Structure formats: structure tokens, C-alpha cells
Amino acid sequence: MNALTELQQRFRLALAGLSDDPESLLEMIRPAQDAKFGDYQANCAMPLGKQSGQPPREVAEQILQQLDVSDFCLEPEIAGPGFINLRLQDGWLIDQLTEMRHDERLGIAAVGEPSCLVIDYSSPNVAKPMHVGHIRSTVIGDAISRIARFLGHRVISDNHLGDWGTQFGMIIYGFKHFQQEDAYQREPVVELTRLYKLVQGLIEYQQAVKQLPVQQQQIQDFEDQLAQQRAEQEAAESVDKKAAKRLRQLEGRIADLRSALSATEAKIATVDQDEALNALAAEHSDIDQQVLHETAQLHAGDAENRRLWEEFLPKCRADIQRVYDRLDIQFDVEYGESFYDDRLATVVEELEASGLARESEGATCVFLDEFETPMIVRKRDGAFLYATTDLATIQYRMQTWQPDTILYVVDHRQSEHFQKLFSVAQQWQDPDVKFSHVSFGTVLGEDGRPFKTRSGEAVGLEGLLDEAIRKALDVVTANDDAKPNGAELSPQQRQEVAETVGHGAIKYADLSHNRTSDYVFSYEKMMGLEGNTATYIQYSYARVQSIFRRGEIDVDGLRASFADISLQHPAERTLALAIVQLAEVLEQVLEDYRPNLLTNYLFELAKRFSSFFEACPVLKADTEGLMQSRLLLCDLTGRTIARGLQLLGIGVVEMM
Ligand code: ARG
């Protein structure tokens, strides 16, 4: 039984006669922040009192007259202005633990009414290697999938690969013009990546060359404005605060433009300073147009481009698959954008027929009241867009799986795209399907700017994982060497542990931040043996296992034995309370798709275990019965940690 859900159920009954909207009040029942207020606290008497004009303490009394929780809580107490403090009975806690002890699912039942979720995550553009930006979508999406599945929902995880866009036009153009045959034979993906970067560099160069005079002109214009406003201000008798503010804003704009200008100049300089590149740039001066043309040819079914695409795609996918294998990421389907290509024309026709889309300046657009700009579904030249594919994808998903919810785990910069998409899709398809953009912030370097290599490229994901494992090996080695009775791990074991610790650290660091915020990537922080890290939690798990090893405990025998759990010491009770709360935390994670609620929970659990371990001797407990009870608590802690980490896609190790 999940205490929070049960409390909400009981309050629902108690509030029925007191409020017209009990549901909103149920959210005000929360785990207590401080143990002195009990285990849970209900704050619903305050808003109710406000509504009815009664003192909240009296309202709280009335609630308590209706509330029956006597089968699992102690007598509720009213505190302060009208808080209701609730404390679970020890006997009830022990019953829960006893049930968990024999249950592989730790007493967590599957939901009564499962829903069907399609989760769109990872979804990289495949013609380029995965970089640090892909980590967030991949691990957040994977954690949500795992948790939803564990709770009994039907999940279809879908890697919506970008396998059909301009990036293929880029490598096709690159391959036709700059290919180095032997390099391609040796390491095809390395060569394709080189081609991609080369073409991208040349396109950026051409764009920079065009941008340069525009930016220079803009700066000039703003400077003229600035000079004029300064003169006006000097001429004015009194100081005008608003004018001063405008001056500062103008100065700010100019500073921004100047830094954009230096970036443009730098791009131009890289090519200009390199004779070979310079020659290529001159020779391929319309490369951006050519790339669009190659992409259009591919989409139009041109035999040569189609053949090249079919040759490149499996190679690119294998490269990405390597990362997924390392990170233990699986998908149910990976159709990718190309799968929907032959549906796009029909989608546009349907949108037109239903009156949602219409022609505007030669393009086909859906106009939306909430947005200034329309969603374009077919360009003037006939090309379809990212949005068209997304609409076709929604239609396919609806037809194939009839989902209740479709989630898109995609970074926050695409939020406008998704707002428009959801609005169109809801008008076009089933208005009841729930869409959610599970958006997230940027990974920053230690300098607080988007995490880039020295040369300004996004940091490659594989290199990042390799480095994490190297650092983890240092941590594991130092820890093992420092053991009072000598090191325990063989070099091979150390390596294996380092892999679990390194990958776990990267995933956990990402998951433990509120997904909508940016976070700073730091190996040092993410592998701390203290603090909110996977390493600390994995270490707690290993500690449990080491108790069992030292005591030579037969864990299966212990679980099956008649030994009772008792909660005499406060540290035992606090730990027990955390153990039984996993179920409610998992439900909360799915409310707003926030895996960080689970990392916070695991961190708290590990801290409580550590306090318990300091205060309560286990193998040296006073009596055999007490030792057994504490061993059972250790076992449940270990299993709860392992389960929680597994639901985040993170492994545990027996020794560290
Ligand atoms: N491939 C896209 C990108 O890299 C992300 C796709 C997200 N999913 C979707 N259905 N639009 O930006």
C-alpha cells in the first residue's frame, strides 16, 4: 500500500462534505519536511478556512472529525495555524516491510488503469556523431520509459532518428566532391563525419561572408543612434532616467552585435588562413544551394542519391548503436524520419481538405491564433518540413497504438515548434490525446557556457564516456587502495566497477538536475563519494553487500526466515519510512516527468542508511533477533537502491 495515495483517498472522503473541490486540496498532503511534524503533513485547512471565513484550526478539527486513518496512522494532530500532522503506525510500517521482503517488486503494485504512452527520445540526427547535447534526451527519456513500464503502463519508446534531413544532403555532396576513397574504406563513419564537418564549415563560411556586411551595417546603425541619443541627452537640461536606460540598452545591443561579429570574423579567418580550404570555398561558392539540391534529389527518389543514402545509413546507425549499447539504452521502434516520407503529401492534402491548412505566398501553411507565424507544412518549392514529418508521425502513432499520451523529450529550444505541433495535431487528430514536450536545459562547461571543445565543437559523447571511465578508475583505485585491510579488487574488477561508476555518474548527474535548468558538467562533482551522486549511492549499496559478506549471511535464507523486523531506534524508523516511500516517489516522477525526484529520494535514502549504520550496530547488535532485524533493513535498503538506480538506467556493484 502506498501511504500517500491512501492518505489522499481518506482525505477525499473526509473533505467531500467540506469542499466543492477536494481534488485540489489533496495535493496539499505531503511528506513532512521535518520528522517532528510527523511523517506527512496536510495543509488543506488553510485554504478551506480562507474560503469559508472560519479559523483554519477549526476547519482542521472538522476535517479530523470526518477523517478515518486509524488503521494505519496514530491519532492525527493539529499544529500551528491549522496543519494536520500525520504519523504512520510502526506496526503498519513493519507490515509493509514484511511484504516487501518477499516481493521482487518491493511491494509496488502495477497501476489499476494503465495508460499507453509513446515516448519520443534521443532522436539524434544520424549523419553526425553523437555529442554531449544528446545525453539529456537519451537518459531522461530512458528513465521515464523504465519507470512508466515498471508501474504497469504500456510504453512504446521511439527513437525518431533524423535520417532524412539536410545532413544527408551534406554528406552526399561531400562524398561526391571531397571523398578520400581509402579513408572511407578504412573507417567509413570517420570519413563521413569529416565530410559532414567540411561541408558544414564551408556552408558556415559562405553564410558568414554574407552576414559580415549586414552585421557591420547593423552596428553602424546602432552606433549612429547611440551618438544621436547621447547628443540629445547632453543637450537636455535635466537627467532623464528613461533616456539613460535606453542608452544602456543600446550599448548592450552593440556589445552583443560586436561579439556576434567577431564570431563571424573568426569563421571567415579559419577558412581564409587555410589555403586549401580557401580554394575549396572559392570553387564551391554556392555550396548551401547545392546541398539543398542534393537533399531534394534524395527526396525525389534520384537513384544515385538513394543508393548513397542506403549505403551510409546503416553505417551511421551502427555508430550510434555503439553508444546505446554502452549506455544500456533500448527502443521499441526506431523508424526515423525517412519512414514517413511517403505519407507527407497525403498529410498536407488532408490538412487542406479539413480546412486547417491553406496556401500563403506559394507555401502551404496552418495559421494558429496563438502564434504570429504560421506552421509551414510545404514550402514554395514543394519541399516538406520537419513539422510535416512530425504531423505524419503523430497520425501513424495514433493509428498504430492509440496512445493516451505522447511525450517528446527534446531540448527547450524547440518549444515553439512543439506548441504549434500540438495545437495543429489536436485540431486534426483526437483532441483527447495528451501531448507533452518534456523539455530540458543545456549542458554547460565549467566556464558556464554551452559545453564545447577548445575548437568550439560540441563535445563528442563517446569521448566523454571514455573520460568518465578513466576518472572513475582513479576514484575506485584510490578507494580500494585505502581500505584498512588491504585492497580487495583485481585490476579487472576495478575496470568493471569503473565502467558502472563512470556511466552511472554521467547519467545521474544529468538526471539529478531539475530538467528544465541548465547544469554544469563536472567530472569532479559527479563522482564525489559524498553528496548527491550515483557514486555515493552505489557506494551505499556496496556497503550493504560488504556487511553480508563479512557476516557470511545467507540472504535468501534471511528473507525466508521467521525473523521479525523491529523499529526501536529512531534511525531504524527513519530508514524504514524512506524504504516504503519508493512507490509514491515513482508516481510523482510521472506526474511531471521529473526523474530528479527519484534521484533526490535515493540520495535521502542513502543518507538515512548512513545514519542508521553509524547509530545501530548490525553484525554486533546486542541480540540475535536485533541483528536479524537490522540485516533485513540493510537488505531492503540495498534492494531499494538497486531498484531505484535500475529505473534510472544505472547499475550497482557488489564491491567498490
Ligand atoms: N532530430 C531532432 C534534432 O536533433 C530531434 C527530434 C525530436 N523528435 C521529434 N519528433 N521532433 O533536433
Side-chain angles (χ1 to χ4, degrees), residues 30-43 85-86 574 577 581 604 608:
R30 294 263 160 75
Q33 293 297 326
D34 187 329
K36 68 173 183 273
F37 303 126
D39 301 331
Y40 293 86
Q41 199 166 48
N43 297 350
N85 293 344
L86 300 144
T574 328
L577 178 63
Q581 283 172 330
E604 182 62 34
R608 290 189 190 186

Short mmCIF file of all heavy atoms in Angstrom, two decimals, residues 30-43 85-86 574 577 581 604 608:
data_model
loop_
_atom_site.label_atom_id
_atom_site.label_comp_id
_atom_site.label_asym_id
_atom_site.label_seq_id
_atom_site.Cartn_x
_atom_site.Cartn_y
_atom_site.Cartn_z
N ARG A 30 1.53 16.18 1.96
CA ARG A 30 2.92 15.97 1.51
C ARG A 30 3.71 15.24 2.58
O ARG A 30 3.39 15.36 3.76
CB ARG A 30 3.61 17.34 1.33
CG ARG A 30 3.07 18.18 0.25
CD ARG A 30 3.91 18.01 -0.99
NE ARG A 30 3.18 18.43 -2.17
CZ ARG A 30 2.95 19.69 -2.51
NH1 ARG A 30 3.44 20.66 -1.77
NH2 ARG A 30 2.28 19.98 -3.59
N PRO A 31 4.78 14.58 2.19
CA PRO A 31 5.70 14.07 3.21
C PRO A 31 6.21 15.25 4.04
O PRO A 31 6.49 16.32 3.49
CB PRO A 31 6.84 13.46 2.41
CG PRO A 31 6.29 13.22 1.05
CD PRO A 31 5.22 14.25 0.84
N ALA A 32 6.30 15.08 5.36
CA ALA A 32 6.72 16.19 6.21
C ALA A 32 8.19 16.50 5.98
O ALA A 32 9.00 15.59 5.76
CB ALA A 32 6.47 15.84 7.67
N GLN A 33 8.53 17.80 5.99
CA GLN A 33 9.93 18.20 5.78
C GLN A 33 10.78 17.84 6.99
O GLN A 33 11.96 17.58 6.89
CB GLN A 33 10.02 19.72 5.56
CG GLN A 33 9.39 20.21 4.28
CD GLN A 33 10.10 19.64 3.07
OE1 GLN A 33 11.31 19.44 3.10
NE2 GLN A 33 9.37 19.34 2.02
N ASP A 34 10.14 17.84 8.16
CA ASP A 34 10.89 17.65 9.38
C ASP A 34 10.16 16.59 10.21
O ASP A 34 8.93 16.67 10.38
CB ASP A 34 10.90 19.00 10.13
CG ASP A 34 11.81 18.96 11.35
OD1 ASP A 34 11.94 17.88 11.95
OD2 ASP A 34 12.35 20.02 11.70
N ALA A 35 10.93 15.61 10.72
CA ALA A 35 10.31 14.48 11.42
C ALA A 35 9.48 14.93 12.62
O ALA A 35 8.56 14.23 13.04
CB ALA A 35 11.37 13.49 11.85
N LYS A 36 9.76 16.11 13.14
CA LYS A 36 8.99 16.50 14.32
C LYS A 36 7.53 16.85 13.97
O LYS A 36 6.69 16.91 14.85
CB LYS A 36 9.68 17.61 15.12
CG LYS A 36 9.77 18.95 14.48
CD LYS A 36 10.34 19.93 15.54
CE LYS A 36 10.39 21.35 15.00
NZ LYS A 36 11.62 21.67 14.27
N PHE A 37 7.26 17.02 12.68
CA PHE A 37 5.87 17.23 12.26
C PHE A 37 5.21 15.92 11.82
O PHE A 37 4.20 15.93 11.12
CB PHE A 37 5.79 18.25 11.12
CG PHE A 37 6.40 19.57 11.47
CD1 PHE A 37 7.38 20.13 10.68
CD2 PHE A 37 6.00 20.24 12.62
CE1 PHE A 37 7.95 21.35 11.01
CE2 PHE A 37 6.57 21.45 12.96
CZ PHE A 37 7.56 22.02 12.15
N GLY A 38 5.81 14.80 12.17
CA GLY A 38 5.24 13.52 11.75
C GLY A 38 5.82 13.07 10.44
O GLY A 38 6.89 13.54 10.02
N ASP A 39 5.11 12.17 9.77
CA ASP A 39 5.61 11.62 8.50
C ASP A 39 5.01 12.35 7.30
O ASP A 39 5.65 12.51 6.28
CB ASP A 39 5.26 10.14 8.42
CG ASP A 39 5.86 9.34 9.58
OD1 ASP A 39 6.94 9.76 10.07
OD2 ASP A 39 5.27 8.34 10.00
N TYR A 40 3.77 12.77 7.46
CA TYR A 40 3.10 13.52 6.40
C TYR A 40 2.42 14.72 7.02
O TYR A 40 2.09 14.71 8.21
CB TYR A 40 2.05 12.65 5.69
CG TYR A 40 2.67 11.52 4.92
CD1 TYR A 40 2.97 10.32 5.55
CD2 TYR A 40 3.01 11.66 3.58
CE1 TYR A 40 3.57 9.27 4.85
CE2 TYR A 40 3.60 10.63 2.87
CZ TYR A 40 3.89 9.43 3.52
OH TYR A 40 4.48 8.42 2.82
N GLN A 41 2.20 15.71 6.21
CA GLN A 41 1.54 16.89 6.71
C GLN A 41 0.47 17.31 5.69
O GLN A 41 0.72 17.29 4.49
CB GLN A 41 2.55 18.01 6.87
CG GLN A 41 2.07 19.10 7.79
CD GLN A 41 3.21 20.01 8.21
OE1 GLN A 41 3.97 20.45 7.37
NE2 GLN A 41 3.29 20.31 9.49
N ALA A 42 -0.73 17.64 6.20
CA ALA A 42 -1.80 18.09 5.30
C ALA A 42 -2.08 19.55 5.60
O ALA A 42 -2.37 19.92 6.73
CB ALA A 42 -3.05 17.25 5.52
N ASN A 43 -1.98 20.39 4.58
CA ASN A 43 -2.14 21.83 4.79
C ASN A 43 -3.45 22.36 4.22
O ASN A 43 -3.58 23.55 3.94
CB ASN A 43 -0.98 22.59 4.14
CG ASN A 43 0.35 22.22 4.77
OD1 ASN A 43 0.36 21.54 5.81
ND2 ASN A 43 1.44 22.63 4.17
N ASN A 85 -0.87 17.03 11.25
CA ASN A 85 0.32 16.18 11.22
C ASN A 85 -0.09 14.72 11.34
O ASN A 85 -0.89 14.36 12.20
CB ASN A 85 1.26 16.53 12.37
CG ASN A 85 1.85 17.92 12.20
OD1 ASN A 85 1.79 18.49 11.11
ND2 ASN A 85 2.39 18.46 13.28
N LEU A 86 0.52 13.92 10.46
CA LEU A 86 0.13 12.51 10.41
C LEU A 86 1.35 11.63 10.62
O LEU A 86 2.40 11.89 10.02
CB LEU A 86 -0.49 12.20 9.05
CG LEU A 86 -1.73 13.03 8.75
CD1 LEU A 86 -1.81 13.39 7.28
CD2 LEU A 86 -2.98 12.29 9.22
N THR A 574 13.33 5.95 10.72
CA THR A 574 13.50 6.91 9.61
C THR A 574 13.89 6.18 8.33
O THR A 574 13.43 6.52 7.23
CB THR A 574 14.63 7.91 9.94
OG1 THR A 574 14.66 8.10 11.33
CG2 THR A 574 14.46 9.20 9.24
N LEU A 577 10.88 4.28 6.96
CA LEU A 577 9.91 5.17 6.30
C LEU A 577 10.35 5.47 4.87
O LEU A 577 9.56 5.43 3.93
CB LEU A 577 9.78 6.47 7.12
CG LEU A 577 8.84 7.51 6.54
CD1 LEU A 577 7.41 7.00 6.47
CD2 LEU A 577 8.90 8.81 7.36
N GLN A 581 8.60 4.46 0.93
CA GLN A 581 8.13 5.60 0.11
C GLN A 581 8.50 5.52 -1.37
O GLN A 581 8.10 6.38 -2.15
CB GLN A 581 8.59 6.93 0.72
CG GLN A 581 7.74 7.31 1.94
CD GLN A 581 8.26 8.51 2.69
OE1 GLN A 581 9.47 8.75 2.70
NE2 GLN A 581 7.38 9.24 3.34
N GLU A 604 18.49 10.75 -0.31
CA GLU A 604 17.96 10.79 1.05
C GLU A 604 18.02 9.39 1.69
O GLU A 604 18.44 9.24 2.85
CB GLU A 604 16.52 11.31 1.00
CG GLU A 604 15.82 11.48 2.33
CD GLU A 604 16.50 12.49 3.25
OE1 GLU A 604 17.03 13.48 2.74
OE2 GLU A 604 16.49 12.26 4.48
N ARG A 608 20.10 8.34 5.01
CA ARG A 608 19.47 7.73 6.19
C ARG A 608 20.12 6.39 6.50
O ARG A 608 20.24 6.00 7.66
CB ARG A 608 17.97 7.54 5.94
CG ARG A 608 17.24 8.86 5.92
CD ARG A 608 15.76 8.65 5.89
NE ARG A 608 15.08 9.90 5.63
CZ ARG A 608 13.77 10.07 5.66
NH1 ARG A 608 12.99 9.04 5.93
NH2 ARG A 608 13.23 11.24 5.41
#
